């Protein structure tokens, strides 16, 4: 019986840890998303400019 109780306590502890990790992950994702979006936009614009430059040098 002691073993089952220990396993249950360990399982509940792991579950709590997963929930707190999930909350932390959601918060970080929400805070970081605008930064990711801005970086993606900057990279896409840079790639577009470079491809336009490449097209001009080919002509």
């Amino acid at each position: 019986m002691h073993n089952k109780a220990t396993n249950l306590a360990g399982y509940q502890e792991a579950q709590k840890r997963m929930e707190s990790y999930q909350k932390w992950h959601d918060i970080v994702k929400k805070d970081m998303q605008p930064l990711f979006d801005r970086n993606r936009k900057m990279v896409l614009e840079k790639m577009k400019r470079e491809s336009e430059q490449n097209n001009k040098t080919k002509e």
Side-chain angles (χ1 to χ4, degrees):
M1 185 62 203
H2 172 71
N3 205 10
K4 266 190 177 175
T6 307
N7 287 345
L8 183 62
Y11 173 74
Q12 288 171 337
E13 180 62 33
Q15 201 171 21
K16 277 185 204 163
R17 212 173 293 157
M18 274 302 295
E19 286 169 6
S20 71
Y21 170 77
Q22 191 60 50
K23 283 179 193 162
W24 174 83
H25 180 264
D26 292 346
I27 290 167
V28 169
K29 188 176 179 202
K30 191 174 74 187
D31 287 349
M32 297 297 281
Q33 199 58 49
L35 185 65
F36 292 145
D37 292 343
R38 199 183 79 206
N39 286 349
R40 185 181 308 118
K41 188 178 172 194
M42 287 167 59
V43 167
L44 288 172
E45 287 172 357
K46 183 176 181 231
M47 287 169 63
K48 187 178 172 190
R49 277 196 310 273
E50 286 175 354
S51 76
E52 286 172 355
Q53 280 299 119
N54 290 343
N55 289 342
K56 284 179 185 173
T57 54
K58 282 181 186 173
E59 287 173 3

